[in-house]
Amino acid sequence: KEREQRRAMLKEYISIMMNSKLEHFLPRVYKNKELEIVPFRFVFTHPEAEKIKKIMSKYIDVNSMLFKSPIVCSPDGPESLGYSFGSCLISEKVGSEIINWPCILPEKHHAKILEIFKQIADC
């Protein structure tokens, strides 16, 4: 059941994005009909990610976003594990522009989170 709910959420996010000004930012992988994606999060990048996250933060916890850094889940920061900033510029750029929306949440919240996503996509 969870698998189908996650796929349904993904389908809704893609549909909203395809019908908004964010269409250009939809990753190609989501358009590949040969793939069966069962996402934990719906992920894309946007050059104005901070602006979008500020709007999102009114509704959801943006601190729980994943992959904001080349090394994640290091309590003392990536440097504590030997990472040197500037050594992986693509990952750093993607991390600064990443936006991800939950696909796993109680079904009773699906409509509301999709409504919020649509409002942001239409901004």
Side-chain angles (χ1 to χ4, degrees):
K1 182 177 177 180
E2 181 181 304
R3 175 185 174 100
E4 290 310 312
Q5 287 178 344
R6 288 163 57 183
R7 291 182 71 209
M9 285 295 289
L10 175 64
K11 185 177 179 181
E12 291 293 333
Y13 284 132
I14 291 170
S15 176
I16 291 168
M17 213 162 163
M18 292 290 290
N19 294 298
S20 77
K21 65 181 184 175
L22 293 179
E23 179 181 7
H24 174 73
F25 299 101
L26 182 66
R28 287 182 302 207
V29 69
Y30 290 130
K31 297 177 185 178
N32 186 338
K33 302 286 185 201
E34 294 179 20
L35 297 177
E36 181 182 348
I37 301 171
V38 183
F40 178 66
R41 304 283 247 174
F42 173 66
V43 180
F44 63 98
T45 60
H46 192 283
E48 294 183 19
E50 289 307 313
K51 177 181 166 186
I52 293 170
K53 287 186 231 180
K54 186 174 181 178
I55 297 167
M56 287 172 69
S57 70
K58 296 175 187 173
Y59 308 103
I60 64 173
D61 179 13
V62 296
N63 294 319
S64 66
M65 283 194 184
L66 305 173
F67 312 115
K68 297 184 288 187
S69 170
I71 298 177
V72 296
C73 298
S74 56
D76 297 321
E79 306 90 344
S80 68
L81 296 174
Y83 183 76
S84 175
F85 279 93
S87 64
C88 192
L89 296 175
I90 293 172
S91 182
E92 291 174 25
K93 181 176 180 355
V94 168
S96 71
E97 295 180 352
I98 201 158
I99 298 171
N100 49 78
W101 286 79
C103 288
I104 300 175
L105 64 159
E107 198 169 358
K108 66 182 180 181
H109 299 300
H110 287 193
K112 183 64 177 174
I113 201 82
L114 291 168
E115 176 187 322
I116 293 165
F117 182 73
K118 184 172 182 352
Q119 288 173 8
I120 291 172
D122 289 339
C123 286

